[in-house]
Amino acid sequence: MAAEGPLLLSLDLSGTFVFALNGAMTAVRAAKLDIVGVVALAMITGLGGGIIRDILIGAAPPATFRDWRYLAVAGGGGLVAFVLSRALNRFALTITMLDAAGLGLFAVTGTSKALAFGLGAGQAVILGVITGVGGGTLRDVLIREIPTVLYSGLYAIPALIAAIITAAATRGHLYGSPAAVAAAGACFAVRMIGVHFDLNVPGPPGARANRGKRATGGDGF
Amino acid sequence: MAAEGPLLLSLDLSGTFVFALNGAMTAVRAAKLDIVGVVALAMITGLGGGIIRDILIGAAPPATFRDWRYLAVAGGGGLVAFVLSRALNRFALTITMLDAAGLGLFAVTGTSKALAFGLGAGQAVILGVITGVGGGTLRDVLIREIPTVLYSGLYAIPALIAAIITAAATRGHLYGSPAAVAAAGACFAVRMIGVHFDLNVPGPPGARANRGKRATGGDGF
Amino acid sequence: MAAEGPLLLSLDLSGTFVFALNGAMTAVRAAKLDIVGVVALAMITGLGGGIIRDILIGAAPPATFRDWRYLAVAGGGGLVAFVLSRALNRFALTITMLDAAGLGLFAVTGTSKALAFGLGAGQAVILGVITGVGGGTLRDVLIREIPTVLYSGLYAIPALIAAIITAAATRGHLYGSPAAVAAAGACFAVRMIGVHFDLNVPGPPGARANRGKRATGGDGF
């Protein structure tokens, strides 16, 4: 854990920040919330994945409530996005990119922290995916959207790729900053390629998959 | 616990499997999700109740993340239902029956595990009901349905019956495979009778209870 | 903890009761649920905040499942509100007042219990707010409303005030029944003033905040 501490913390805080920006921008665009609602949704989006992860691996109270920097980064990210919302909104792509970045970062921290707590590799991978998609799923439920993870095939898959790379690197004693960045980067790249080419995975045999776009924006460019 | 281990595990895995099938079929019918969404909703429906139970009784990480069989059974159930969705869909009754079976099985495991962790009988009964309805409630929230437990009176009641039988049998030192199967079976029977005869419990005095059927199927035949 | 035990318990049970009444009345008014749904929503609203608090601070199983009085008070409150729903409904203000009272009481217990479990003051304040808004947020998600905390600026702010007073009083060794009642009362007063004068906090620069009222009542008079 000695070497893992600072790496986990920096990845976690980065994921918290980008998800907080994403949550705040979603709040401004999709739900037209006021400043308290924007900061609240930013904090839930930024902190949700890590809180779910820590509760599930038995690390309560979650890191969020032990280290003040989590709350500061999430709240600060929400305030920044609130103030800059007009400027940021010119880049419709930004929300999607921040979400993809947070997805990869949290998939890595979820997997690596689960392994550090003694879970098996398969379970750690699933926990990594849950950590990656958790904050965004809470965000979507609260603003009454169907969560992206359910209807967009190429959302869980990139998180799964990051989680598998992390677990494999850890098992091969190769885990460290380069592997973590590579895993999160692979997730980001696959997610953005999927969004750009509007790729999807197959629907049920004989049925049409639901490729409907969200009316409220926030996904796709 | 020596004798309880295998019984709890087999009931839990059975509940996980039937709820996973139910979740996948709901995903195909109600929300028209793709393969990742179907498997994700299957896993959430199959594993949700047990995860909530284990977090609430202080048994983190949940059994789901300690024993790979939970993930395998839930994921496998989701894949099976995805592949066979056309065939399974001919039986509209199937979704409701799987749900009733999962409800009973998890009400039993929730109550019995809560008692094993030292909770009082009343609290264990409530925890059993929460375990029974938890996975389906997560499923309904994620696909934006009002949870069955809130509007269908004869949904919580059967779970309550199974939980009370389990708690009484445990207190009377009669708990074992026969009692567990009887409790889950009683829940299943009461639930299916309620569905068949469209029974409901009373609404508020002077008001009409909401007997609205879900537009998306998944309940009633 | 010796002196804190009875105070925390009485505040917690009071918050549970008023939130249970509120949840039941919301269930009757907004969602037209039957008796099981009404009692279920009452229990979720009344117990949700405290359960979330105890899980987050690592106090599983939550007080709810250790002390039968929580379940009795929540279930009893739900039944009372169900039976009296016609009479209670004449006072549209009642739902909002019960909600404001529960908000303040739980913000106090959340902050004070988090401090007792060793969390820092800033984190304890956030945890207090989460405890205050938790039950109502679960209620809103389950009946498919956008949670009040997200769109009504003067909902989180009063909870924040109660949490800050509680944390400051505890740090100054002044915490006790008078401080707790003052903190919860300040929250209640600020919330009701905000509702009465329809006050709101600012929306994003250049945008219009969503001041939409909920169609289902339950908020505003």
Side-chain angles (χ1 to χ4, degrees), chain B residues 32-59:
Chain B
K32 309 238 177 286
L33 305 175
D34 61 27
I35 183 169
V36 176
V38 168
V39 173
L41 201 65
M43 295 183 79
I44 291 163
T45 310
L47 303 170
I51 289 175
I52 293 171
R53 173 197 65 202
D54 289 353
I55 296 295
L56 288 179
I57 61 176

mmCIF file of all heavy atoms in Angstrom, chain B residues 32-59:
data_model
loop_
_atom_site.group_PDB
_atom_site.id
_atom_site.type_symbol
_atom_site.label_atom_id
_atom_site.label_comp_id
_atom_site.label_asym_id
_atom_site.label_seq_id
_atom_site.Cartn_x
_atom_site.Cartn_y
_atom_site.Cartn_z
ATOM 1 N N LYS B 32 -35.998 -2.674 -24.129
ATOM 2 C CA LYS B 32 -35.336 -2.925 -25.405
ATOM 3 C C LYS B 32 -33.845 -2.598 -25.355
ATOM 4 O O LYS B 32 -33.330 -1.884 -26.217
ATOM 5 C CB LYS B 32 -35.995 -2.123 -26.527
ATOM 6 C CG LYS B 32 -37.507 -2.286 -26.591
ATOM 7 C CD LYS B 32 -37.947 -2.807 -27.939
ATOM 8 C CE LYS B 32 -39.459 -3.034 -27.999
ATOM 9 N NZ LYS B 32 -39.857 -4.250 -27.236
ATOM 10 N N LEU B 33 -33.174 -3.109 -24.342
ATOM 11 C CA LEU B 33 -31.756 -2.826 -24.185
ATOM 12 C C LEU B 33 -30.921 -3.753 -25.054
ATOM 13 O O LEU B 33 -31.399 -4.785 -25.528
ATOM 14 C CB LEU B 33 -31.372 -3.002 -22.712
ATOM 15 C CG LEU B 33 -32.187 -2.173 -21.710
ATOM 16 C CD1 LEU B 33 -31.799 -2.536 -20.290
ATOM 17 C CD2 LEU B 33 -31.987 -0.693 -21.961
ATOM 18 N N ASP B 34 -29.640 -3.408 -25.278
ATOM 19 C CA ASP B 34 -28.734 -4.276 -26.014
ATOM 20 C C ASP B 34 -28.125 -5.306 -25.066
ATOM 21 O O ASP B 34 -28.484 -5.376 -23.891
ATOM 22 C CB ASP B 34 -27.648 -3.452 -26.719
ATOM 23 C CG ASP B 34 -26.805 -2.669 -25.726
ATOM 24 O OD1 ASP B 34 -26.692 -3.103 -24.575
ATOM 25 O OD2 ASP B 34 -26.273 -1.615 -26.114
ATOM 26 N N ILE B 35 -27.198 -6.117 -25.572
ATOM 27 C CA ILE B 35 -26.711 -7.249 -24.773
ATOM 28 C C ILE B 35 -26.049 -6.793 -23.472
ATOM 29 O O ILE B 35 -26.256 -7.401 -22.414
ATOM 30 C CB ILE B 35 -25.743 -8.155 -25.584
ATOM 31 C CG1 ILE B 35 -25.329 -9.361 -24.743
ATOM 32 C CG2 ILE B 35 -24.535 -7.401 -26.074
ATOM 33 C CD1 ILE B 35 -24.595 -10.434 -25.528
ATOM 34 N N VAL B 36 -25.286 -5.701 -23.515
ATOM 35 C CA VAL B 36 -24.634 -5.236 -22.289
ATOM 36 C C VAL B 36 -25.674 -4.740 -21.285
ATOM 37 O O VAL B 36 -25.611 -5.061 -20.093
ATOM 38 C CB VAL B 36 -23.611 -4.116 -22.591
ATOM 39 C CG1 VAL B 36 -23.013 -3.579 -21.306
ATOM 40 C CG2 VAL B 36 -22.514 -4.642 -23.498
ATOM 41 N N GLY B 37 -26.664 -4.015 -21.774
ATOM 42 C CA GLY B 37 -27.718 -3.535 -20.888
ATOM 43 C C GLY B 37 -28.519 -4.685 -20.301
ATOM 44 O O GLY B 37 -28.887 -4.665 -19.122
ATOM 45 N N VAL B 38 -28.776 -5.703 -21.122
ATOM 46 C CA VAL B 38 -29.546 -6.858 -20.647
ATOM 47 C C VAL B 38 -28.781 -7.586 -19.546
ATOM 48 O O VAL B 38 -29.330 -7.895 -18.478
ATOM 49 C CB VAL B 38 -29.866 -7.813 -21.824
ATOM 50 C CG1 VAL B 38 -30.393 -9.143 -21.305
ATOM 51 C CG2 VAL B 38 -30.873 -7.171 -22.769
ATOM 52 N N VAL B 39 -27.496 -7.846 -19.800
ATOM 53 C CA VAL B 39 -26.707 -8.559 -18.792
ATOM 54 C C VAL B 39 -26.530 -7.687 -17.548
ATOM 55 O O VAL B 39 -26.597 -8.176 -16.418
ATOM 56 C CB VAL B 39 -25.345 -8.997 -19.370
ATOM 57 C CG1 VAL B 39 -24.452 -9.585 -18.288
ATOM 58 C CG2 VAL B 39 -25.562 -10.017 -20.479
ATOM 59 N N ALA B 40 -26.338 -6.380 -17.743
ATOM 60 C CA ALA B 40 -26.189 -5.493 -16.587
ATOM 61 C C ALA B 40 -27.464 -5.493 -15.743
ATOM 62 O O ALA B 40 -27.405 -5.623 -14.511
ATOM 63 C CB ALA B 40 -25.864 -4.063 -17.048
ATOM 64 N N LEU B 41 -28.625 -5.387 -16.381
ATOM 65 C CA LEU B 41 -29.872 -5.365 -15.608
ATOM 66 C C LEU B 41 -30.125 -6.732 -14.958
ATOM 67 O O LEU B 41 -30.653 -6.809 -13.840
ATOM 68 C CB LEU B 41 -31.057 -4.959 -16.480
ATOM 69 C CG LEU B 41 -32.263 -4.436 -15.690
ATOM 70 C CD1 LEU B 41 -31.935 -3.132 -14.970
ATOM 71 C CD2 LEU B 41 -33.474 -4.224 -16.589
ATOM 72 N N ALA B 42 -29.717 -7.808 -15.648
ATOM 73 C CA ALA B 42 -29.841 -9.142 -15.053
ATOM 74 C C ALA B 42 -28.999 -9.241 -13.785
ATOM 75 O O ALA B 42 -29.456 -9.755 -12.751
ATOM 76 C CB ALA B 42 -29.398 -10.203 -16.061
ATOM 77 N N MET B 43 -27.771 -8.740 -13.847
ATOM 78 C CA MET B 43 -26.883 -8.841 -12.686
ATOM 79 C C MET B 43 -27.374 -7.963 -11.535
ATOM 80 O O MET B 43 -27.314 -8.363 -10.371
ATOM 81 C CB MET B 43 -25.450 -8.488 -13.087
ATOM 82 C CG MET B 43 -24.884 -9.492 -14.078
ATOM 83 S SD MET B 43 -23.151 -9.179 -14.539
ATOM 84 C CE MET B 43 -22.296 -9.854 -13.117
ATOM 85 N N ILE B 44 -27.858 -6.766 -11.872
ATOM 86 C CA ILE B 44 -28.363 -5.879 -10.819
ATOM 87 C C ILE B 44 -29.591 -6.492 -10.147
ATOM 88 O O ILE B 44 -29.721 -6.488 -8.921
ATOM 89 C CB ILE B 44 -28.701 -4.494 -11.421
ATOM 90 C CG1 ILE B 44 -27.411 -3.771 -11.830
ATOM 91 C CG2 ILE B 44 -29.507 -3.657 -10.437
ATOM 92 C CD1 ILE B 44 -27.623 -2.607 -12.776
ATOM 93 N N THR B 45 -30.495 -7.052 -10.956
ATOM 94 C CA THR B 45 -31.706 -7.658 -10.396
ATOM 95 C C THR B 45 -31.357 -8.903 -9.573
ATOM 96 O O THR B 45 -31.913 -9.129 -8.493
ATOM 97 C CB THR B 45 -32.681 -8.042 -11.535
ATOM 98 O OG1 THR B 45 -32.852 -6.931 -12.402
ATOM 99 C CG2 THR B 45 -34.029 -8.468 -10.975
ATOM 100 N N GLY B 46 -30.415 -9.702 -10.087
ATOM 101 C CA GLY B 46 -30.067 -10.940 -9.410
ATOM 102 C C GLY B 46 -29.234 -10.743 -8.155
ATOM 103 O O GLY B 46 -29.366 -11.474 -7.175
ATOM 104 N N LEU B 47 -28.363 -9.739 -8.189
ATOM 105 C CA LEU B 47 -27.424 -9.563 -7.081
ATOM 106 C C LEU B 47 -27.828 -8.459 -6.115
ATOM 107 O O LEU B 47 -27.341 -8.413 -4.980
ATOM 108 C CB LEU B 47 -26.025 -9.264 -7.635
ATOM 109 C CG LEU B 47 -25.454 -10.311 -8.609
ATOM 110 C CD1 LEU B 47 -24.191 -9.785 -9.279
ATOM 111 C CD2 LEU B 47 -25.172 -11.629 -7.893
ATOM 112 N N GLY B 48 -28.726 -7.576 -6.548
ATOM 113 C CA GLY B 48 -29.053 -6.388 -5.751
ATOM 114 C C GLY B 48 -29.564 -6.691 -4.358
ATOM 115 O O GLY B 48 -29.109 -6.098 -3.369
ATOM 116 N N GLY B 49 -30.513 -7.619 -4.260
ATOM 117 C CA GLY B 49 -31.100 -7.916 -2.959
ATOM 118 C C GLY B 49 -30.065 -8.425 -1.971
ATOM 119 O O GLY B 49 -30.011 -7.985 -0.812
ATOM 120 N N GLY B 50 -29.207 -9.344 -2.426
ATOM 121 C CA GLY B 50 -28.194 -9.906 -1.540
ATOM 122 C C GLY B 50 -27.135 -8.893 -1.145
ATOM 123 O O GLY B 50 -26.640 -8.904 -0.015
ATOM 124 N N ILE B 51 -26.786 -8.004 -2.076
ATOM 125 C CA ILE B 51 -25.792 -6.969 -1.766
ATOM 126 C C ILE B 51 -26.354 -6.013 -0.717
ATOM 127 O O ILE B 51 -25.685 -5.695 0.277
ATOM 128 C CB ILE B 51 -25.377 -6.211 -3.053
ATOM 129 C CG1 ILE B 51 -24.529 -7.120 -3.945
ATOM 130 C CG2 ILE B 51 -24.621 -4.939 -2.713
ATOM 131 C CD1 ILE B 51 -24.164 -6.527 -5.296
ATOM 132 N N ILE B 52 -27.607 -5.572 -0.910
ATOM 133 C CA ILE B 52 -28.236 -4.687 0.074
ATOM 134 C C ILE B 52 -28.280 -5.377 1.436
ATOM 135 O O ILE B 52 -27.943 -4.782 2.456
ATOM 136 C CB ILE B 52 -29.651 -4.284 -0.406
ATOM 137 C CG1 ILE B 52 -29.572 -3.403 -1.650
ATOM 138 C CG2 ILE B 52 -30.417 -3.585 0.707
ATOM 139 C CD1 ILE B 52 -30.914 -3.127 -2.311
ATOM 140 N N ARG B 53 -28.693 -6.643 1.460
ATOM 141 C CA ARG B 53 -28.746 -7.411 2.712
ATOM 142 C C ARG B 53 -27.387 -7.425 3.418
ATOM 143 O O ARG B 53 -27.290 -7.107 4.610
ATOM 144 C CB ARG B 53 -29.161 -8.857 2.403
ATOM 145 C CG ARG B 53 -29.104 -9.806 3.584
ATOM 146 C CD ARG B 53 -29.125 -11.259 3.109
ATOM 147 N NE ARG B 53 -27.912 -11.564 2.338
ATOM 148 C CZ ARG B 53 -27.786 -12.553 1.455
ATOM 149 N NH1 ARG B 53 -28.799 -13.343 1.199
ATOM 150 N NH2 ARG B 53 -26.654 -12.756 0.819
ATOM 151 N N ASP B 54 -26.333 -7.767 2.670
ATOM 152 C CA ASP B 54 -25.024 -7.923 3.300
ATOM 153 C C ASP B 54 -24.465 -6.589 3.777
ATOM 154 O O ASP B 54 -23.799 -6.526 4.818
ATOM 155 C CB ASP B 54 -24.053 -8.613 2.337
ATOM 156 C CG ASP B 54 -24.412 -10.088 2.152
ATOM 157 O OD1 ASP B 54 -25.317 -10.575 2.860
ATOM 158 O OD2 ASP B 54 -23.804 -10.750 1.298
ATOM 159 N N ILE B 55 -24.713 -5.520 3.029
ATOM 160 C CA ILE B 55 -24.273 -4.191 3.476
ATOM 161 C C ILE B 55 -25.011 -3.807 4.753
ATOM 162 O O ILE B 55 -24.407 -3.306 5.717
ATOM 163 C CB ILE B 55 -24.531 -3.138 2.368
ATOM 164 C CG1 ILE B 55 -23.688 -3.434 1.131
ATOM 165 C CG2 ILE B 55 -24.258 -1.731 2.883
ATOM 166 C CD1 ILE B 55 -22.207 -3.329 1.335
ATOM 167 N N LEU B 56 -26.320 -4.073 4.795
ATOM 168 C CA LEU B 56 -27.110 -3.652 5.951
ATOM 169 C C LEU B 56 -26.772 -4.437 7.217
ATOM 170 O O LEU B 56 -26.835 -3.893 8.318
ATOM 171 C CB LEU B 56 -28.608 -3.768 5.650
ATOM 172 C CG LEU B 56 -29.179 -2.730 4.687
ATOM 173 C CD1 LEU B 56 -30.661 -2.966 4.457
ATOM 174 C CD2 LEU B 56 -28.949 -1.311 5.208
ATOM 175 N N ILE B 57 -26.425 -5.725 7.073
ATOM 176 C CA ILE B 57 -26.092 -6.485 8.285
ATOM 177 C C ILE B 57 -24.616 -6.354 8.636
ATOM 178 O O ILE B 57 -24.166 -6.928 9.629
ATOM 179 C CB ILE B 57 -26.487 -7.980 8.185
ATOM 180 C CG1 ILE B 57 -25.757 -8.664 7.035
ATOM 181 C CG2 ILE B 57 -27.987 -8.132 8.043
ATOM 182 C CD1 ILE B 57 -26.039 -10.158 6.969
ATOM 183 N N GLY B 58 -23.874 -5.592 7.856
ATOM 184 C CA GLY B 58 -22.466 -5.390 8.186
ATOM 185 C C GLY B 58 -21.560 -6.510 7.716
ATOM 186 O O GLY B 58 -20.515 -6.754 8.311
ATOM 187 N N ALA B 59 -21.942 -7.190 6.638
ATOM 188 C CA ALA B 59 -21.135 -8.298 6.123
ATOM 189 C C ALA B 59 -20.427 -7.910 4.833
ATOM 190 O O ALA B 59 -20.407 -8.671 3.868
ATOM 191 C CB ALA B 59 -22.019 -9.522 5.909
#
